[in-house]
Amino acid sequence: MKFYRTLFWLLLLLLPVSGIAAEGFEAFSVKSQADGNQVYSVSIQTLALMTVLSMLPAALMMMTSFTRIIIVLSILRQALGLMQAPSSQTLIGLALFLTFFVMAPVFNKINTTALQPYLNDSIPFQAAAEKGGEPLREFMLGQTREADISMFMKISGDKEYESKEEIPFTVLVPAFVTSELKTAFQIGFLLFIPFLIIDLVVASVLMSMGMVMLSPMIVSLPFKIMLFVLVDGWTLIMGTLASSFYI
């Protein structure tokens, strides 16, 4: 992989001076149109696309509902006392598909307002990027606490913005992640309470019977699993997580 990447950048650097390039070919160019918009060359658009793709995993985790979902599922597994089941791969896959479900309205809006017009050459790349960021910004603002936004604005030294639409992504993204972490731990705390009560009851019964050498976790585990199955826990967890983004 490193070899092909090095070869790609070497060819990219040598392209303007090589004999292969046609006369007058511009690898990197920006042209201004009559309406004031700027049109970038194919080389710049390809480079921007590659950069976006390299940042896609981080954007998926930090700018969508993935963070809240995976943390709640991890806390749930720990509350049940199951260290290996469900496996981490299963939880990540479940979190990904639930993220796609929650973010479907946002992705559809981005596709309608930005991606399809750009593919049809109706709008330039810069306008498509701005229009594509608006639905994502609206979703993130709906899940971010104002206190977190104010904190990061104070840290960065920015002035107070007249409207939320003026808040830059450099402030909005860390504020959104902070809010998601707080919300996820609040949900995890509520999940821990019933299972903690079962552990306390089992530990008290075992101590009163003089069975101090027997681990309460081993005895309480079947009861916690039985309780979780009887109340249809997975349906409750998935439904609560999905609906928590649009309340």
Side-chain angles (χ1 to χ4, degrees), residues 8 20 27 39 74 93-94 121 130 148-149 160 166 202 210-211:
F8 170 79
I20 302 178
V39 178
S74 300
L94 182 60
D121 295 330
E130 293 177 357
D148 295 328
I149 297 178
E160 291 291 337
E166 298 179 0
V202 171
M211 304 174 65

Side-chain angles (χ1 to χ4, degrees), residues 65-80:
S65 59
F66 180 83
T67 301
R68 182 189 304 184
I69 295 172
I70 191 62
I71 291 178
V72 171
L73 294 179
S74 300
I75 293 177
L76 173 63
R77 182 175 64 178
Q78 188 173 358
L80 284 169

Side-chain angles (χ1 to χ4, degrees), residues 60-121:
L60 177 63
M61 291 186 294
M62 298 290 102
M63 301 175 67
T64 64
S65 59
F66 180 83
T67 301
R68 182 189 304 184
I69 295 172
I70 191 62
I71 291 178
V72 171
L73 294 179
S74 300
I75 293 177
L76 173 63
R77 182 175 64 178
Q78 188 173 358
L80 284 169
L82 299 171
M83 296 297 103
Q84 299 297 332
S87 62
S88 299
Q89 292 83 353
T90 303
L91 292 183
I92 292 175
L94 182 60
L96 280 175
F97 280 101
L98 189 58
T99 298
F100 293 146
F101 174 79
V102 172
M103 301 296 296
V106 179
F107 292 156
N108 290 335
K109 194 172 182 180
I110 292 175
N111 180 63
T112 303
T113 60
L115 182 59
Q116 292 302 323
Y118 172 70
L119 295 178
N120 296 330
D121 295 330

Side-chain angles (χ1 to χ4, degrees), residues 17 39 48 125 141 144:
V17 297
V39 178
F125 177 78
L141 284 172
T144 307

Side-chain angles (χ1 to χ4, degrees), residues 27-30 40-49 125:
F28 301 97
S29 63
V30 180
Y40 298 91
S41 65
V42 177
S43 301
I44 294 181
Q45 295 180 21
T46 303
L47 182 61
L49 179 61
F125 177 78

